Amino acid sequence: NAGVTQTPKFRILKIGQSMTLQCAQDMNHNYMYWYRQDPGMGLKLIYYSVGAGITDKGEVPNGYNVSRSTTEDFPLRLELAAPSQTSVYFCASRTGLVEKLFFGSGTQLSVL
Amino acid sequence: AQSVTQPDIHITVSEGASLELRCNYSYGATPYLFWYVQSPGQGLQLLLKYFSGDTLVQGIKGFEAEFKRSQSSFNLRKPSVHWSDAAEYFCAVGQTGANNLFFGTGTRLTVIP
């Protein structure tokens, strides 16, 4: 059972480049989340989804886009990378509102 | 507005000593409360959670936490810390009808021999 799988683990982007962070879960979870973690700032919610075809903004959605075409996958798109998007990105999923989150191992992104 | 405060950025304890990490929350309704632990280079792992009932909850790795509604607190405790407990600890709050959790800024725990 793989859980939540994030790819890539590390990436360096130039300013203005685009990329997609991949997230897949094999637990049939309805809820999926993207967080970013900056030093001393904890985790901030970027986007979340409560099921296939349904997404919504979190606290810090600017500069990002998401889609949820299947239950398993929840990719995060950066269209025009900026240095402010340098961060560690975590994908997470859970079955219901009060259940625990399962986290991926993270993607460390640097925008230079 | 919802918020979670972890007032201690960094705590250092000796191995075998007791530990208490503080968490205060501001929420409009009865919250769901969680403590997560993050080891270096890893994602977060759930230590324990509180939804209702007994205000003292037990978690994995010998951790416990107590919900105190009057103080809006959910402090994490461990009677005797092990070197392997060195990590970053996050308190998180959720609410019925809300789809996401709010996380605190984390407390980094260092354990010295």
Side-chain angles (χ1 to χ4, degrees), chain B residues 60-90:
Chain B
I60 63 172
K61 304 183 180 184
F63 285 92
E64 67 177 27
E66 186 172 12
F67 171 58
K68 293 185 177 180
R69 185 186 302 275
S70 61
Q71 299 177 19
S72 297
S73 69
F74 188 57
N75 294 347
L76 181 71
R77 301 194 293 250
K78 187 170 185 178
S80 178
V81 170
H82 187 263
W83 64 266
S84 60
D85 294 323
E88 188 140 19
Y89 293 80
F90 292 92

Side-chain angles (χ1 to χ4, degrees), chain A residues 91-112:
Chain A
C91 179
S93 71
R94 59 178 172 175
T95 56
L97 289 174
V98 300
E99 298 304 316
K100 72 176 183 180
L101 282 167
F102 289 81
F103 281 85
S105 56
T107 295
Q108 186 168 335
L109 176 67
S110 296
V111 182
L112 305 176

Side-chain angles (χ1 to χ4, degrees), chain A residues 3-4 23-33 35 68 71 91-96 99-104, chain B residues 36:
Chain A
V4 179
C23 176
Q25 52 91 8
D26 60 359
M27 298 172 284
N28 201 32
H29 287 172
N30 288 327
Y31 296 82
M32 295 189 74
Y33 302 83
Y35 291 92
R68 183 96 182 268
T71 299
C91 179
S93 71
R94 59 178 172 175
T95 56
E99 298 304 316
K100 72 176 183 180
L101 282 167
F102 289 81
F103 281 85
Chain B
Y36 285 85

Side-chain angles (χ1 to χ4, degrees), chain B residues 6-42:
Chain B
Q6 292 181 246
D8 303 306
I9 296 173
H10 184 204
I11 286 181
T12 299
V13 300
S14 298
E15 191 168 15
S18 63
L19 172 70
E20 182 169 25
L21 303 182
R22 296 182 290 165
C23 173
N24 294 96
Y25 66 89
S26 173
Y27 229 73
T30 301
Y32 302 131
L33 296 155
F34 305 81
W35 274 100
Y36 285 85
V37 60
Q38 183 182 30
S39 298
Q42 302 296 316

